């Protein structure tokens, strides 16, 4: 199986990269700067996507994991924070970046026998979990959830399943030291979810344990 993972330089992306490779799969990981075992990909830049597509040169992709994301507004204040540039940068990464990744690598997905796309989102994007704060991140993940659901509808006819996933609150640079889960636990749960993804479950929004989440 050929697995492509964006944002694989640290955190959940790196854990997924290491586990799939250890299991004997062919894994292509990306990061903004690239280097080492990772190819360069700035998910906000169309030229960077084109360069990645050229590197992969029509090679089939069985599982595409759209993991790259940012969470810059944890400490912002409603009174004077959340600047427009932060909104633009976050949506360019967390939403447009997912779309460009799928769009660019769609030919590679189409040549695979049973291709899957996994969008790593967050339950903070669910309207049922609107508890205030983190307005930019929450809005971007809500958009990523909507994007994933619409991609599932359009790609079903091509035989490509799409799932949207909440990895849990994980102890990473993004999640912070007080989060609930170790990276290894979240990664193992997500790998099981991706394995379960099929055309019958396309469009699902689940957490790392397989529990369905409200949109």
């Amino acid at each position: 199986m050929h697995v492509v993972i964006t944002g694989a330089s640290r955190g959940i992306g790196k854990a997924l990269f290491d586990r799939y490779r250890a299991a004997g799969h062919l894994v292509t990981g990306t990061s903004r700067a690239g280097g080492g075992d990772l190819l360069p990909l700035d998910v906000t830049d169309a030229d960077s996507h084109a360069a990645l597509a050229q590197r992969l040169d029509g090679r089939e992709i069985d599982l595409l994991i759209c993991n790259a994301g940012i969470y810059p507004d944890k400490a912002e204040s409603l009174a004077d924070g959340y600047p427009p540039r932060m909104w633009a940068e976050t949506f360019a990464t967390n939403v447009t970046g997912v779309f460009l990744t799928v769009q660019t690598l769609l030919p590679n997905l189409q040549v695979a026998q049973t291709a899957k796309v996994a969008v790593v989102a967050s339950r903070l994007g669910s309207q049922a979990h609107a508890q205030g704060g983190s307005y930019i991140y929450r809005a971007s993940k809500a958009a990523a959830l909507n994007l994933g659901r619409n991609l599932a509808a359009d790609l079903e006819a091509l035989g490509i399943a799409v799932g949207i996933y909440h990895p849990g609150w994980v102890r990473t640079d993004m999640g912070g030291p007080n989060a609930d889960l170790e990276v290894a636990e979240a990664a193992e749960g997500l790998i099981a979810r991706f394995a379960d993804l099929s055309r019958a479950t396309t469009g699902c929004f689940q957490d790392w344990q397989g529990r369905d989440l409200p949109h």
Side-chain angles (χ1 to χ4, degrees), residues 6 31-33 35 37 43 47 53 56 61 63 78-79 101 114 121 126 128 133 148 171 181 196 204 207 212 215:
T6 66
S31 69
R32 181 171 293 180
D37 292 330
V43 297
D47 290 339
L56 294 178
I61 296 173
L63 174 60
L78 178 58
T101 301
T114 54
S126 167
R171 286 189 282 275
L181 295 173
D196 289 343
C204 64
D207 70 8
D212 292 325
H215 303 154

Side-chain angles (χ1 to χ4, degrees), residues 10-15 71 74 167-184 186:
R10 59 183 180 176
I12 294 171
K14 184 178 187 305
Y71 187 174
K74 291 180 188 178
W169 186 20
V170 187
R171 286 189 282 275
T172 61
D173 290 344
M174 182 181 291
N178 298 320
D180 297 329
L181 295 173
E182 293 288 353
V183 174

Side-chain angles (χ1 to χ4, degrees), residues 93-105:
T93 302
N94 294 358
V95 187
T96 310
V98 173
F99 177 80
L100 289 175
T101 301
V102 175
Q103 182 183 53
T104 302
L105 298 179

Side-chain angles (χ1 to χ4, degrees), residues 141-214:
K141 290 303 184 179
L145 169 57
N146 183 276
L147 172 62
R149 297 273 294 174
N150 281 285
L151 285 170
D154 283 339
L155 296 182
E156 184 175 10
L158 300 178
I160 301 171
V162 181
I164 306 98
Y165 300 95
H166 168 57
W169 186 20
V170 187
R171 286 189 282 275
T172 61
D173 290 344
M174 182 181 291
N178 298 320
D180 297 329
L181 295 173
E182 293 288 353
V183 174
E185 184 178 0
E188 291 298 333
L190 289 174
I191 288 170
R193 302 289 74 74
F194 303 160
D196 289 343
L197 178 61
S198 68
R199 293 179 66 183
T201 60
T202 193
C204 64
F205 181 34
Q206 297 178 339
D207 70 8
W208 80 105
Q209 294 177 305
R211 296 176 295 197
D212 292 325
L213 298 174

Side-chain angles (χ1 to χ4, degrees), residues 123-137:
R123 73 172 187 169
L124 295 186
S126 167
Q127 295 186 53
H129 294 282
Q131 299 171 336
S134 298
Y135 297 106
I136 300 175
Y137 183 76

